[in-house]
Amino acid sequence: MLSFLWSLGAFIVALGILVAVHEWGHFYVARKCGVHVERFSIGFGKPLWRRKSASGTEYVIAMIPLGGYVRMLDGRVDDVPPHMADKAFNNKHVLKRMAIIAAGPGVNFVFAFLALWLMFLVGLQTVKPVVQTVKADTIAAQAGVNDGDTFLKIGDRDTPDWEAVNLELMSKIGHDTAKVTLQSAENNEKVVTFTLSDWNFDADNESPLSSLGITPFRPSPTLEVGFIGEGSAAQEAGIKVGDTLIALNGESLTSWQALVDVIVESPGEAVTFTIERDGQQQQLHATIARRDTPQGQSGYLGVSPTFEPWPEGYVFTHQYGIVEAIGKSLDKTWRLMTLSVDMIGKLLTGDVSVKNLNGPISIAQGAGVSAGYGLAYFLSFLALISVNLGIINLLPLPMLDGGHLMFFTAEWITGKPVPEAVQEWGYRIGGVLLFMIMGIAIMNDIARIA
């Protein structure tokens, strides 16, 4: 429950920030273009707070935090008094109307840049992309990737950490090959080719790396308990963080994996642990919990280990000065934008399955996890979602900013507005498509947590 509330709170904060930023873009440019803004609302439904400014704009925070809107004076839906005619949105030149509509997504991109700039100033701790193991007869193994290799580049893009590796691998979905530059454990540089024509990547069950046969390096787990799940079998047995697990049913434990192997095969069984706590050994009794998996029932204890220290040089921090951070954040913002457009294109071509669409539940979980890691990670998450929000809003679907821009572009070229009947049908079709996409994303969320 605590995890759910944390994710929900982080989601509301993230969505509130991003909606406010997006709608402020429309609001600011509308005011600069001389359009009267009647309401600037964060959220929908019943107002929880409202205030009216001297200019006549009503500022609102509403009950349902799943969006927001800017309501401008518009002769197509309002009775506009003669003295306000020049302040109506529909009476402005088409280029001004286009600027007002484009400002929302535009500010999303600016916000992403600022969030990443601040992230680089604060510093983001990350891990060097060193391969621990390569599974035999996989794409990586056939390409010549070996245990201990370090990723340097994918294509012509540097890959200083695992996040960069994953992003660049995602960009290669649908390609036949990918050139990868590696550094061996002996510090020799080599270029290998991944053959991706038969790459089958199921985002619900695996990462891009595991689907290629790669396991990233991480320190080995110890037998000391580092985390205990709330309400888990381990907690009910009295196991505490800091305990060292010595034996299970009288058999000495040699590794954490040996413990996992026994637990997984023992759903519902009563077991006895020998632990060491504060230098003293004692025995605790537990009943292994059950959980369903695609392979059948599996045992579950609800503990995680502590790990050995990272080798020197494996963990580093992306942190830069004020000026250098500008270039880094510009580059990353642009890369996120191009990857977002690329992934939308691959959804349309079928290279990426619609099963990969994320809905509000997945976004909330991502917000909670990133917020839990600290400010820098939450800023990175905000930048990613802000870029995606901007790109999606520019899609040429009526009901989205891109649909309005499509109609206004046609008006600018022809010199006359798109007929109301055409626009009305466009909004209906766009609405159906938009709700279909949202429905698929929500169903994907439900399937992931079912």
Side-chain angles (χ1 to χ4, degrees):
M1 177 57 73
L2 185 61
S3 175
F4 168 77
L5 292 176
W6 175 260
S7 293
L8 180 63
F11 173 68
I12 291 172
V13 170
L15 191 62
I17 292 171
L18 297 178
V19 168
V21 164
H22 181 91
E23 298 302 332
W24 180 83
H26 293 311
F27 168 78
Y28 179 79
V29 176
R31 293 282 296 270
K32 287 295 182 180
C33 290
V35 174
H36 174 66
V37 179
E38 297 190 320
R39 175 178 282 192
F40 180 6
S41 177
I42 304 301
F44 299 106
K46 182 180 179 180
L48 300 176
W49 175 88
R50 65 171 74 195
R51 184 178 69 84
K52 201 160 190 174
S53 68
S55 65
T57 299
E58 184 183 38
Y59 298 89
V60 173
I61 297 178
M63 182 177 291
I64 305 172
L66 295 177
Y69 61 93
V70 171
R71 175 169 164 73
M72 294 173 277
L73 184 67
D74 193 324
R76 295 170 297 179
V77 294
D78 301 309
D79 292 327
V80 180
H83 71 281
M84 294 285 286
D86 64 327
K87 294 184 179 297
F89 175 79
N90 63 301
N91 291 333
K92 294 299 180 180
H93 188 275
V94 65
L95 291 179
K96 287 188 175 182
R97 282 178 276 147
M98 291 173 70
I100 293 168
I101 297 300
V107 171
N108 277 125
F109 302 140
V110 173
F111 175 81
F113 160 76
L114 293 174
L116 291 171
W117 179 72
L118 182 57
M119 180 198 77
F120 283 127
L121 290 180
V122 171
L124 181 70
Q125 192 174 70
T126 189
V127 178
K128 186 178 179 181
V130 179
V131 176
Q132 180 159 306
T133 58
V134 181
K135 190 174 181 180
D137 299 322
T138 59
I139 291 173
Q142 291 167 1
V145 182
N146 298 315
D147 298 354
D149 284 352
T150 301
F151 281 84
L152 299 179
K153 289 184 178 183
I154 296 178
D156 59 356
R157 301 283 304 185
D158 292 335
T159 52
D161 53 35
W162 284 117
E163 181 194 19
V165 171
N166 275 296
L167 285 176
E168 296 309 319
L169 285 175
M170 292 294 289
S171 75
K172 300 302 180 183
I173 293 176
H175 292 221
D176 289 332
T177 61
K179 294 288 185 183
V180 178
T181 305
L182 303 165
Q183 185 179 59
S184 70
E186 295 77 28
N187 294 324
N188 297 317
E189 191 171 303
K190 61 181 178 181
V191 178
V192 301
T193 300
F194 283 17
T195 302
L196 304 176
S197 52
D198 295 324
W199 184 22
N200 296 313
F201 169 46
D202 182 1
D204 285 342
N205 298 310
E206 57 188 349
S207 69
L209 290 167
S210 62
S211 67
L212 294 169
I214 295 169
T215 300
F217 174 85
R218 68 176 303 178
S220 299
T222 70
L223 285 166
E224 182 181 329
V225 176
F227 170 81
I228 297 176
E230 188 72 25
S232 66
Q235 186 182 61
E236 291 177 1
I239 297 174
K240 296 181 179 181
V241 171
D243 289 349
T244 299
L245 304 179
I246 304 295
L248 176 60
N249 292 332
E251 296 288 334
S252 296
L253 292 169
T254 57
S255 69
W256 189 267
Q257 188 58 49
L259 169 68
V260 172
D261 291 342
V262 175
I263 296 299
V264 167
E265 297 297 328
S266 308
E269 293 186 15
V271 297
T272 300
F273 286 99
T274 303
I275 68 163
E276 183 178 297
R277 180 185 298 167
D278 299 326
Q280 301 293 321
Q281 290 191 10
Q282 57 182 284
Q283 290 188 332
L284 298 174
H285 303 285
T287 300
I288 305 303
R290 303 172 184 266
R291 63 177 174 183
D292 294 323
T293 70
Q295 291 76 36
Q297 276 206 336
S298 172
Y300 178 67
L301 185 61
V303 293
S304 296
T306 59
F307 291 85
E308 294 178 356
W310 285 92
E312 186 176 353
Y314 276 55
V315 178
F316 62 98
T317 301
H318 287 300
Q319 189 171 27
Y320 306 96
I322 293 174
V323 175
E324 191 177 4
I326 293 174
K328 295 290 183 180
S329 52
L330 279 173
D331 178 69
K332 186 157 187 177
T333 302
W334 177 250
R335 189 56 179 149
L336 290 176
M337 290 170 65
T338 56
L339 281 172
S340 296
V341 173
D342 191 31
M343 292 305 290
I344 290 172
K346 288 172 181 177
L347 279 170
L348 295 175
T349 60
D351 289 325
V352 173
S353 170
V354 293
K355 292 194 300 182
N356 295 322
L357 286 174
N358 288 334
I361 298 174
S362 294
I363 295 172
Q365 291 172 335
V369 169
S370 62
Y373 285 150
L375 176 62
Y377 291 92
F378 190 56
L379 288 170
S380 178
F381 172 82
L382 287 177
L384 174 63
I385 301 301
S386 189
V387 165
N388 277 273
L389 182 62
I391 295 293
I392 289 171
N393 263 283
L394 287 175
L395 292 176
L397 287 175
M399 292 188 70
L400 296 177
D401 293 334
H404 293 291
L405 289 173
M406 179 177 63
F407 289 141
F408 291 153
T409 300
E411 179 181 343
W412 182 38
I413 293 171
T414 63
K416 55 185 179 181
V418 175
E420 289 290 336
V422 174
Q423 292 191 45
E424 182 65 27
W425 274 104
Y427 291 129
R428 291 179 182 177
I429 295 171
V432 170
L433 292 173
L434 191 58
F435 282 114
M436 284 176 58
I437 294 170
M438 291 174 60
I440 291 170
I442 292 171
M443 291 303 295
N444 287 344
D445 280 354
I446 294 171
R448 290 185 184 107
I449 63 176

